[in-house]
């Protein structure tokens, strides 16, 4: 931290730096090393381990026996998840628990769960005593390739997705492919949708990898095999590459925002019944069609995006796309979120993105025609 007088008229200026370096490591925590992993990280600091009901039901017994076998008993707490519970109330619940156990400022939150749980735990950690450390252990594909890697966390308020949130880098991210075995096919497809997003927006190598062997992740016995790990690791590295230059989003034109413009409105309008990954897939597909109609993405590029989704069994249509007011409102929200400019990422080619900054470049007729084309292409 540095304090100096570098602006005329200022009494003082203060520049702060946020520590934002952390490792993402593979570890077979389910097979036992969780405690030693945590102990090497916490070095005696108290830890509050937070799990979701599903993780508790499937892995709770093993995790508990691992966690209590350490020198120090870790506190384990269960919170309700599901997108509807990604709320300030859930964050408050965690803060109260942490306070009840008199967790100190140097304490650490450890989240073990899907993206929803990690978002709640990360946000609670960012708020508790104005910021405590946390470790993220994603248990779904989406969490492993996306939510855990990100330094963002947040919760929904009413129909506004991720309206409250923070940038709060974790101290470590641990990836254990063994968790993926029990994830439903539907949820695996949600993770695959985020991987396709990244491939289309920024990483043609990942896209090709998904074309070649993405389906391997649909086979529960193969999800922790070497080829599956390679794909997951490639996706994590791709995401890290995207975040590395712009972790705190000072540049609001982000390639990885592909698929995240209309999707929040779709999720909210279904009462959060439509899972995040499914909404993202629909948004990526619509963006590809819009791009094609604007003469940016060629026919071959559009076909390959739609074909990859089809090949992985990921839907690209939702009836709510025909609610034009919903799309307009989603674009309004995106503009507000992205600093009063649209900054809509559109694929230029596989792995390359352009941004449409102005609303005038996206006339209502173009959106309506694109929706109609996507509906036809998705049938
Ligand atoms: N912070 C970020 O940058 C970021 C990035 C991407 C997504 N997200 C958020 O992540 C959320 C979506 O995450 P998600 O797709 O993991 O959804 P999720 O957390 O709801 O998990 C999906 C389902 O899988 C279950 N589950 C979790 N682990 C399991 C396991 N090992 N075996 C069987 N079932 C398991 C959960 O109980 C849930 O029913 C959204 O809220 C999204 O906004 C955040
Ligand atoms: Zn997402």
């Amino acid at each position: 931290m540095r304090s100096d007088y570098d602006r005329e008229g200022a009494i003082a200026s203060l520049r702060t730096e946020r520590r934002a370096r952390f490792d993402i490591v593979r570890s077979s925590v389910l097979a036992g090393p969780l405690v030693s992993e945590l102990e090497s990280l916490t070095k005696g600091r108290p830890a509050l381990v937070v799990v979701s009901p599903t993780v508790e039901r499937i892995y709770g017994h093993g995790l508990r026996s691992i966690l209590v076998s350490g020198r120090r008993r870790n506190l384990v707490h269960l919170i309700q998840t599901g997108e509807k519970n990604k709320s300030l109330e859930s964050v408050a619940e965690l803060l109260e628990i942490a306070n009840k156990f008199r967790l100190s400022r140097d304490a650490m939150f450890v989240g073990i769960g899907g993206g929803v749980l990690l978002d709640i735990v990360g946000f609670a950690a960012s708020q508790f005593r104005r910021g405590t450390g946390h470790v993220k252990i994603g248990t779904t594909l989406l969490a492993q390739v996306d939510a855990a890697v990100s330094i963002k966390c947040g919760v929904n308020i009413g129909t506004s997705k991720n309206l409250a949130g923070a940038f709060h880098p974790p101290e470590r991210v641990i990836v254990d492919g063994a968790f993926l075995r029990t994830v439903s096919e539907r949820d695996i497809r949600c993770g695959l949708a985020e991987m396709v997003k990244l491939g289309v927006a920024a990483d043609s190598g990942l896209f090709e990898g998904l074309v070649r062997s993405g389906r391997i992740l649909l086979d529960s016995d193969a999800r922790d095999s070497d080829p599956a790990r390679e794909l997951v690791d490639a996706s994590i590295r791709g995401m890290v590459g995207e975040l590395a230059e712009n972790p705190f989003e000072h540049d609001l034109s982000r390639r990885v925002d592909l698929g995240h413009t209309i999707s929040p409105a779709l999720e909210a309008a279904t009462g959060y019944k439509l899972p995040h990954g499914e909404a993202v897939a629909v948004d990526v597909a619509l963006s590809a069609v819009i791009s094609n109609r604007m003469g940016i993405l060629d026919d071959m590029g559009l076909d390959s995006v739609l074909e990859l989704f089809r090949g992985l069994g990921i839907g690209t249509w939702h009836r709510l796309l025909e609610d034009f007011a919903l799309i307009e409102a989603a674009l309004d929200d995106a503009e507000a979120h992205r600093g009063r400019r649209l900054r809509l990422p559109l694929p230029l080619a596989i792995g390359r993105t352009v941004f449409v900054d102005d609303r005038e470049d996206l006339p209502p007729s173009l959106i309506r025609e694109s929706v109609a084309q996507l509906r036809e292409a998705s049938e």
Side-chain angles (χ1 to χ4, degrees):
M1 203 181 290
R2 203 163 64 84
S3 172
D4 54 24
Y5 300 80
D6 59 8
R7 189 184 159 161
E8 210 184 325
I11 295 171
S13 50
L14 178 70
R15 189 165 64 203
T16 63
E17 261 125 24
R18 296 200 239 184
R19 189 182 52 77
R21 187 184 172 144
F22 59 93
D23 291 326
I24 300 163
V25 296
R26 265 197 183 276
S27 173
S28 305
V29 287
L30 272 179
L34 183 56
V35 167
S36 51
E37 287 278 357
L38 293 184
E39 260 157 24
S40 82
L41 261 180
T42 57
K43 298 194 173 59
R45 295 149 62 197
L48 173 63
V49 181
V50 186
V51 294
S52 68
T54 307
V55 168
E56 162 72 16
R57 179 172 51 78
I58 307 175
Y59 301 103
H61 182 72
L63 282 174
R64 268 173 208 280
S65 62
I66 292 168
L67 286 166
V68 298
S69 69
R71 275 184 288 122
R72 180 175 41 82
R73 284 177 71 94
N74 292 287
L75 300 164
V76 182
H77 183 70
L78 183 101
I79 51 165
Q80 293 305 314
T81 50
E83 192 69 40
K84 278 211 139 171
N85 289 304
K86 207 173 97 165
S87 62
L88 286 172
E89 289 73 22
S90 298
V91 173
E93 178 188 329
L94 275 187
L95 296 179
E96 278 170 25
I97 288 289
N99 191 38
K100 187 171 146 205
F101 287 114
R102 297 276 181 280
L103 246 66
S104 52
R105 193 163 191 152
D106 67 345
M108 198 164 67
F109 287 71
V110 181
I112 309 178
V116 167
L117 179 127
L118 297 185
D119 266 354
I120 298 170
V121 172
F123 194 36
S126 79
Q127 300 301 301
F128 187 64
R129 304 198 196 284
R130 296 194 180 79
T132 46
H134 72 304
V135 173
K136 302 206 263 188
I137 305 178
T139 61
T140 61
L141 179 61
L142 189 145
Q144 294 189 352
V145 298
D146 202 324
V149 181
S150 162
I151 65 166
K152 283 198 286 195
C153 51
V155 296
N156 310 325
I157 297 181
T159 55
S160 297
K161 197 168 153 74
N162 296 329
L163 185 61
F167 291 101
H168 191 55
E171 291 191 18
R172 183 161 298 176
V173 174
I174 301 176
V175 182
D176 185 351
F179 281 113
L180 299 184
R181 177 184 280 269
T182 54
V183 174
S184 70
E185 252 186 42
R186 185 173 185 185
D187 284 309
I188 289 288
R189 288 195 167 96
C190 286
L192 282 166
E194 293 273 25
M195 292 166 80
V196 173
K197 163 209 76 182
L198 179 61
V200 174
D203 192 337
S204 56
L206 175 64
F207 188 92
E208 289 311 319
L210 288 166
V211 171
R212 268 195 316 274
S213 54
R215 288 191 68 83
I216 200 171
L217 284 156
L218 293 169
D219 172 2
S220 63
D221 290 331
R223 287 179 194 155
D224 199 21
S225 63
D226 285 343
R229 285 182 184 198
E230 261 171 46
L231 213 46
V232 169
D233 290 357
S235 193
I236 291 172
R237 286 199 194 99
M239 190 68 186
V240 167
E242 280 305 293
L243 300 179
E245 294 300 310
N246 184 29
F248 295 102
E249 301 182 8
H250 297 304
D251 181 357
L252 292 166
S253 297
R254 295 179 354 111
R255 299 197 285 188
V256 282
D257 272 350
L258 177 66
H260 291 72
T261 303
I262 313 283
S263 58
L266 294 178
E267 286 179 67
T270 60
Y272 294 116
K273 286 198 182 75
L274 179 68
H276 178 69
E278 291 181 16
V280 167
V282 169
D283 187 329
V284 170
L286 181 63
S287 303
V289 174
I290 290 174
S291 185
N292 178 251
R293 292 192 82 88
M294 288 177 84
I296 299 171
L297 177 69
D298 65 18
D299 290 350
M300 223 170 78
L302 173 62
D303 287 348
S304 56
V305 173
L306 297 179
E307 246 166 59
L308 178 55
F309 278 130
R310 217 172 290 131
L312 295 170
I314 299 170
T316 50
W317 173 252
H318 196 283
R319 58 183 167 73
L320 279 172
L321 287 182
E322 284 176 336
D323 180 348
F324 194 68
L326 180 139
I327 295 192
E328 286 289 316
L331 295 174
D332 291 342
D333 280 344
E335 263 180 333
H337 188 64
R338 297 176 190 154
R340 290 185 286 123
R341 301 206 75 181
L342 189 56
R343 300 176 212 273
L344 175 74
L346 292 179
L348 164 66
I350 300 305
R352 294 177 64 198
T353 299
V354 292
F355 293 90
V356 171
D357 287 339
D358 297 315
R359 224 20 203 282
E360 297 86 75
D361 294 330
L362 209 65
S365 57
L366 171 66
I367 297 175
R368 285 183 203 278
E369 285 157 16
S370 302
V371 165
Q373 185 180 334
L374 180 61
R375 181 179 185 161
E376 206 171 297
S378 304
E379 272 165 7

